[in-house]
Amino acid sequence: MNKRHLFILLTFAIMLVGLLFTQPNRSTIPYYKNLDSSVQYIGDEECAACHADIYNSFIRTGMGRSFYPAGNAEAIEDFKNNAPIYDANNNFYYKASLQEGNIVQTEYRINAAGEKIHELNRRADYVMGSGNHNRTYVTVQNGFVKELPLTWYVDKKKWDLSPGYHTTNMRFFRPIVEECMHCHNSFTDFESNSQNKYNIPLPHGIGCERCHGPGRLHVQTRIDNKNELKSSIDYTIVNPKHLPFQEQLDVCQQCHLQGEISVFQPDKRSTDFRPGIKLSLVKSIFMEKNQTPNEFRIASHAERLAKSACFQESSSLTCITCHNPHVPVQEHSRRSFNDNCLACHDPKTLIVKNIENHKQNSDCVKCHMTQGGTADIPHVNFTDHKIQIPKKIQTTTTPISGRIYNAPIELVNFFTKEKSPNAIQTGIAYVRYFESRHQHKDYLIKAIAMLKKSLQENDHQIAGWYHLGRAYHLTGDLKNAESAYYQTIAQDPNHTLALAQLGVLAFANERLTQALSSFQRSINSYPYNPVVWNNYGHALLFSDSIDAALAAYTMAISLDPDYANAFNNRGELLLYKQTELGKGKNDFLSCLALDPDHIFAMHNMSNIALLEEDLENAERFALQALSINNDFVLAYGTLATVFQRQGRLDEAKRALSRIIKLDKNNADARKILDSLRD
Ligand code: HEC
Ligand code: HEC
Ligand code: HEC
Ligand code: HEC
Ligand code: HEC
Ligand code: HEC
Ligand code: HEC
């Protein structure tokens, strides 16, 4: 064998050794075969066939019971001794009851005489929350999933407004958006262009595949070659235990790290996360920079744990160090948790002042992981996962009325911290934070500066352009808003939301042809958005396409039967364009049944009463409108007419003077007033 041969053999051997010892590059290529997007989800029942023990245990956990049909719910609520809950801000009462086996929530209002003047009912179709802490209910209409106003607070055994409803009562209409659903349930068939439309039925609770990835390949492989196990790790299915530190933590963080707001990476949604990849590839999660030090929130286990010295200085502590998620947390003994502490802290070598407290059998958790209320959800007890020297943590024992915002907060990306903030993601976060949480214009100013700058550097960022458009739009800079929306559709001609916003802006500027075409394009790319249909209806109405406008409003209503404004709009068309008093009246009544404070529907009702010569009701509805807004000019007009017809001239004059005071250029009112004075 000559030297050259030897050399080749040697390199070959080195290559072999290299092959044997090189781990696949975990962060870039899929090392688990079920990360491939072709592998399908199959549901828990199939896993149960071979992993019966785990299955039977898991379905008893909070996660296994996190979402289910209301009919299957074991009744833990008290429907007898429940005084109605009064929302003083909005003057509504709420009550939950059991009607023919269904949980029904009722909203009502009572006038000074004690009569019921409004009532609205909704049935709970699904329950969100195992009942370990609380149960929130959702109702489904045409696939649109909405939260109900009352929650059953298990620990306190009482009904109260749902979390967040103390500050903003969204009644029966709070949309359950995809992100919220996918933290509380298995993946659903969600319509990605919608806010809250799902294909029904919905799955029943968080399943195995959210932590293990899709199972088709694993099951097939196990069935095909029953006894063959090539390595100790089965790469057809993810066992979180075998994942690197960050990926292991991310399996739980996809749901247990809520933050203030999260922003998905371009073209990513919650369903793009699969166990085994880094969560930061799918979304950025933003925290409040200067949080009250010892305040913690409901889905913040990961955030709090990350603040502990144990976490920071061990670089090996993850959720599964202490938790076996297949077993209900209540069935883990306190001893087993304390043993986790002992694995890293030997009481004998601890340097502590109080040695008595630091024995092998001491209850470490009791002193170092405090239990108490959370800042965002009233009436529940949670474990603060910041492991620390005992401090008094901020707990809330009475129902908090939601967060009170004063100064704007600063948002920090949890993953990148302040080292390398991504300006696009942060800008989008500020816009969305403004839209969903705290309407302070500083967020928009910040967002505009960030988005503009980074779009100058790289203008291929569709979501960046769209949110720049939103930010300008919300600050009232319509010109720049429009051009940002145009940039959005230049890159994505089917961007249904940008098209809809362009329609809104064109309509506001009375460019009707343009408005019509934008709305049509928006509808062509996504036909199930009731708001777009409603706005399209306006554009058609103003273009004198009355029949088409009627059809558009009707479409909005049939998509979302809770859409109060669309009822009023259709009623106005029927009343003022087609003189269909009866049909118009039905629509105004439907609108008022959904929203008893809808001032335009009241006004329209008083106009119908005028047309029907029913002066008493005309006056009643006009006064009702004024009780909501004392400066509502249109109602004074109706009143003036009523008074004039009834010969109550002084009152008519007063109403007319009021109109002139509110609307100085109202020549008609002035003319009538002058004629009355003669
Ligand atoms: C046809 C039988 C079969 C079915 C169905 C099945 N498994 Fe397995 N699975 C096995 C066997 C056998 C093993 C290896 C022994 C063990 O760990 O139980 C295994 C191992 C695993 C492991 C450990 C892998 C490792 O590398 O440590 C996980 C996780 C797992 N299965 C999850 C699931 C999930 C989730 C489902 C449903 C989507 C499922 N299995 C369905 C037979 C099956
Ligand atoms: C798909 C979202 C999701 C994922 C992934 C997830 N959780 Fe959960 N987890 C929840 C929700 C939601 C609840 C509350 C369920 C309820 O009680 O309604 C919960 C509850 C829990 C509980 C308390 C109740 C119980 O089930 O015993 C523990 C402990 C827990 N999770 C640990 C973990 C760990 C550890 C991981 C990662 C291995 C993890 N979770 C991954 C969403 C998730
Ligand atoms: C990032 C994931 C995430 C999002 C988004 C999210 N939640 Fe949660 N939520 C959780 C987790 C995790 C818990 C459980 C905490 C625990 O049990 O300690 C929880 C707890 C709850 C609970 C208390 C249930 C119980 O018994 O523990 C309710 C009710 C709830 N969430 C409703 C909602 C609603 C409604 C939305 C959307 C508007 C929402 N959540 C959005 C993760 C999330
Ligand atoms: C909330 C996340 C989560 C869910 C949901 C979940 N698992 Fe697991 N599973 C884990 C973790 C974490 C491990 C590793 C546990 C350990 O050994 O530390 C694991 C391990 C396993 C294993 C390996 C063997 C063992 O006993 O540890 C099997 C098999 C398994 N899971 C099956 C299932 C099945 C079947 C379901 C659904 C009924 C399920 N898992 C639901 C997180 C989850
Ligand atoms: C994975 C190992 C690990 C586990 C498990 C662990 N710790 Fe720690 N812990 C550490 C390290 C490392 C430090 C920092 C160095 C030190 O103070 O010993 C630390 C620090 C602490 C401190 C000092 C905190 C401070 O802010 O000064 C307390 C108290 C503590 N741990 C208690 C606990 C308790 C109680 C448990 C169980 C609930 C626990 N630890 C579990 C590794 C761990
Ligand atoms: C050092 C141990 C330890 C670690 C690490 C840990 N937990 Fe816990 N966890 C506990 C203890 C102790 C409890 C309280 C159990 C009880 O009530 O007896 C708990 C309770 C919970 C609960 C039930 C609700 C509550 O707040 O009491 C959830 C959910 C939970 N942990 C999630 C997580 C998640 C997610 C992670 C990872 C980010 C995690 N835990 C990491 C020790 C730990
Ligand atoms: C009765 C409450 C109590 C119990 C039980 C308790 N601790 Fe502590 N621990 C404290 C207090 C208070 C301090 C700080 C004052 C001191 O040093 O004694 C402390 C300090 C510590 C420190 C910090 C030491 C240092 O200087 O950084 C560690 C680590 C620790 N405890 C771990 C544990 C572990 C592990 C257990 C369970 C075996 C445990 N503790 C049980 C109250 C307790």
Side-chain angles (χ1 to χ4, degrees):
M1 198 185 272
N2 63 27
K3 251 188 172 165
R4 197 164 160 263
H5 271 120
L6 193 69
F7 179 65
I8 289 174
L9 271 179
L10 253 177
T11 20
F12 192 53
I14 290 168
M15 273 168 64
L16 262 182
V17 171
L19 273 180
L20 283 173
F21 287 93
T22 314
Q23 288 277 337
N25 182 348
R26 295 187 153 181
S27 54
T28 51
I29 56 159
Y31 53 107
Y32 275 98
K33 298 197 183 83
N34 71 335
L35 283 174
D36 194 284
S37 60
S38 66
V39 182
Q40 288 165 348
Y41 290 96
I42 53 174
D44 298 0
E45 269 66 36
E46 293 219 30
C47 318
C50 299
H51 301 289
D53 290 351
I54 292 181
Y55 176 85
N56 289 327
S57 170
F58 178 71
I59 55 172
R60 294 182 298 112
T61 65
M63 285 183 277
R65 294 177 297 121
S66 58
F67 199 93
Y68 42 95
N72 296 6
E74 155 206 0
I76 56 167
E77 300 88 349
D78 187 347
F79 292 103
K80 293 205 182 77
N81 308 311
N82 63 332
I85 305 299
Y86 182 57
D87 171 14
N89 296 337
N90 298 288
N91 184 21
F92 285 127
Y93 287 92
Y94 292 97
K95 203 165 162 61
S97 58
L98 205 55
Q99 297 177 16
E100 292 164 11
N102 293 314
I103 297 175
V104 174
Q105 298 199 1
T106 304
E107 173 189 80
Y108 60 95
R109 183 177 278 176
I110 290 173
N111 68 9
E115 301 150 346
K116 202 179 257 186
I117 49 168
H118 158 76
E119 182 178 318
L120 193 60
N121 293 293
R122 286 290 178 268
R123 188 186 66 197
D125 292 310
Y126 290 94
V127 181
M128 191 180 226
S130 61
N132 283 354
H133 295 290
N134 47 42
R135 268 186 178 173
T136 289
Y137 307 83
V138 304
T139 189
V140 185
Q141 256 174 335
N142 292 353
F144 289 96
V145 180
K146 304 168 197 181
E147 187 171 348
L148 297 185
L150 290 182
T151 285
W152 173 253
Y153 291 91
V154 177
D155 298 352
K156 295 277 161 80
K157 290 196 169 44
K158 63 182 274 193
W159 292 98
D160 200 350
L161 294 179
S162 295
Y165 276 57
H166 290 94
T167 35
T168 314
N169 179 357
M170 297 182 74
R171 306 173 57 223
F172 299 99
F173 316 125
R174 183 184 187 196
I176 297 290
V177 298
E178 183 185 21
E179 219 186 327
C180 160
M181 180 69 84
H182 288 167
C183 280
H184 283 273
N185 206 352
S186 287
F187 287 146
T188 58
D189 190 0
F190 172 73
E191 291 203 8
S192 62
N193 268 313
S194 81
Q195 201 183 8
N196 60 331
K197 191 166 162 58
Y198 300 82
N199 286 314
I200 308 298
L202 295 166
H204 302 174
I206 293 164
C208 319
E209 291 165 299
R210 289 304 298 278
C211 295
H212 292 294
R216 170 60 67 221
L217 183 66
H218 170 68
V219 173
Q220 210 49 59
T221 314
R222 288 289 175 183
I223 290 174
D224 290 350
N225 38 25
K226 284 196 165 77
N227 303 313
E228 203 183 331
L229 192 59
K230 292 195 189 79
S231 78
S232 62
I233 297 182
D234 178 349
Y235 282 104
T236 62
I237 193 98
V238 174
N239 181 344
K241 183 172 76 176
H242 303 311
L243 292 173
F245 174 72
Q246 185 60 48
E247 283 81 349
Q248 185 177 97
L249 202 54
D250 282 347
V251 171
C252 313
Q253 290 193 150
Q254 62 173 309
C255 304
H256 284 275
L257 181 60
Q258 190 160 6
E260 292 292 334
I261 196 117
S262 54
V263 176
F264 284 87
Q265 303 293 357
D267 298 325
K268 293 283 192 278
R269 310 161 45 184
S270 48
T271 44
D272 289 310
F273 177 79
R274 289 185 172 202
I277 68 168
K278 285 199 168 65
L279 184 58
S280 57
L281 294 175
V282 177
K283 64 176 174 180
S284 308
I285 302 170
F286 290 88
M287 307 290 151
E288 178 178 354
K289 188 175 171 194
N290 302 309
Q291 255 176 46
T292 318
N294 280 312
E295 173 187 284
F296 73 101
R297 300 164 199 198
I298 190 158
S300 68
H301 298 96
E303 184 188 351
R304 295 296 291 172
L305 185 67
K307 293 198 157 109
S308 321
C310 311
F311 177 89
Q312 290 168 358
E313 292 183 39
S314 72
S315 303
S316 64
L317 187 58
T318 74
C319 313
I320 67 176
T321 310
C322 301
H323 290 286
N324 174 353
H326 302 148
V327 179
V329 69
Q330 308 90 318
E331 294 173 21
H332 290 58
S333 67
R334 182 53 73 79
R335 191 62 259 158
S336 72
F337 284 116
N338 290 330
D339 286 344
N340 294 132
C341 316
L342 299 178
C344 296
H345 299 285
D346 180 356
K348 287 196 276 308
T349 59
L350 272 182
I351 306 164
V352 287
K353 286 184 225 118
N354 189 329
I355 297 168
E356 273 314 294
N357 288 336
H358 294 89
K359 293 277 168 62
Q360 201 69 24
N361 61 354
S362 303
D363 188 355
C364 326
V365 166
K366 181 168 172 278
C367 295
H368 292 290
M369 295 180 74
T370 323
Q371 297 191 300
T374 61
D376 53 354
I377 313 254
H379 313 302
V380 289
N381 269 300
F382 284 97
T383 308
D384 185 5
H385 278 58
K386 180 173 177 194
I387 306 170
Q388 59 183 332
I389 306 281
K391 291 198 182 72
K392 212 176 152 15
I393 61 157
Q394 195 163 308
T395 66
T396 359
T397 47
T398 48
I400 52 160
S401 47
R403 265 192 89 160
I404 308 294
Y405 295 96
N406 301 311
I409 64 165
E410 200 172 323
L411 297 173
V412 201
N413 187 326
F414 181 79
F415 295 116
T416 61
K417 302 286 180 301
E418 279 150 284
K419 283 180 298 205
S420 53
N422 174 330
I424 284 279
Q425 297 283 103
T426 316
I428 294 173
Y430 278 120
V431 178
R432 296 205 27 233
Y433 196 74
F434 176 95
E435 287 184 301
S436 62
R437 303 283 297 276
H438 182 198
Q439 302 198 347
H440 194 296
K441 71 171 188 332
D442 284 8
Y443 296 122
L444 299 175
I445 295 169
K446 239 186 216 175
I448 289 172
M450 286 181 164
L451 292 170
K452 248 171 66 181
K453 185 158 175 289
S454 90
L455 286 164
Q456 267 159 16
E457 286 154 18
N458 168 12
D459 72 350
H460 286 285
Q461 311 201 64
I462 297 168
W465 282 114
Y466 178 70
H467 285 88
L468 181 62
R470 289 302 296 150
Y472 278 129
H473 200 156
L474 292 162
T475 50
D477 182 346
L478 303 188
K479 216 164 149 248
N480 274 318
E482 196 162 23
S483 84
Y485 293 142
Y486 271 116
Q487 292 282 356
T488 318
I489 59 162
Q491 294 183 26
D492 175 5
N494 295 321
H495 198 289
T496 185
L497 294 177
L499 288 164
Q501 300 294 1
L502 281 170
V504 168
L505 291 178
F507 181 73
N509 288 316
E510 294 175 39
R511 287 179 260 130
L512 286 177
T513 325
Q514 204 183 341
L516 286 172
S517 104
S518 297
F519 288 135
Q520 271 156 0
R521 282 177 64 191
S522 173
I523 286 169
N524 286 343
S525 73
Y526 182 68
Y528 304 113
N529 189 331
V531 179
V532 179
W533 278 104
N534 175 68
N535 293 344
Y536 182 43
H538 288 332
L540 288 163
L541 181 68
F542 278 75
S543 320
D544 281 328
S545 305
I546 308 301
D547 290 340
L550 185 65
Y553 290 138
T554 303
M555 187 69 182
I557 292 166
S558 71
L559 283 171
D560 181 3
D562 282 342
Y563 197 171
N565 276 336
F567 274 110
N568 182 60
N569 293 334
R570 187 174 71 178
E572 289 186 352
L573 183 152
L574 290 164
L575 173 60
Y576 301 113
K577 293 284 177 186
Q578 302 189 325
T579 346
E580 294 266 17
L581 264 65
K583 286 187 187 166
K585 192 184 211 169
N586 281 343
D587 276 352
F588 301 135
L589 289 174
S590 300
C591 172
L592 288 169
L594 290 164
D595 178 2
D597 297 324
H598 200 289
I599 197 163
F600 289 99
M602 280 171 202
H603 172 67
N604 291 321
M605 282 302 288
S606 70
N607 274 351
I608 288 189
L610 262 188
L611 289 169
E612 291 174 333
E613 293 294 333
D614 176 358
L615 299 185
E616 200 180 313
N617 267 322
E619 180 175 351
R620 185 169 68 85
F621 278 113
L623 290 176
Q624 209 182 330
L626 289 173
S627 74
I628 291 172
N629 177 1
N630 198 29
D631 292 340
F632 188 59
V633 179
L634 296 174
Y636 289 108
T638 315
L639 281 182
T641 315
V642 170
F643 295 148
Q644 214 183 339
R645 287 196 196 163
Q646 289 176 331
R648 294 151 74 183
L649 294 185
D650 283 344
E651 286 164 280
K653 281 186 217 159
R654 268 207 299 277
L656 289 161
S657 312
R658 190 67 200 258
I659 296 178
I660 295 162
K661 202 167 157 215
L662 291 167
D663 175 10
K664 303 224 162 30
N665 303 323
N666 195 321
D668 287 342
R670 211 173 283 274
K671 210 163 19 171
I672 303 171
L673 184 60
D674 289 344
S675 76
L676 287 181
R677 283 194 177 127
D678 291 342

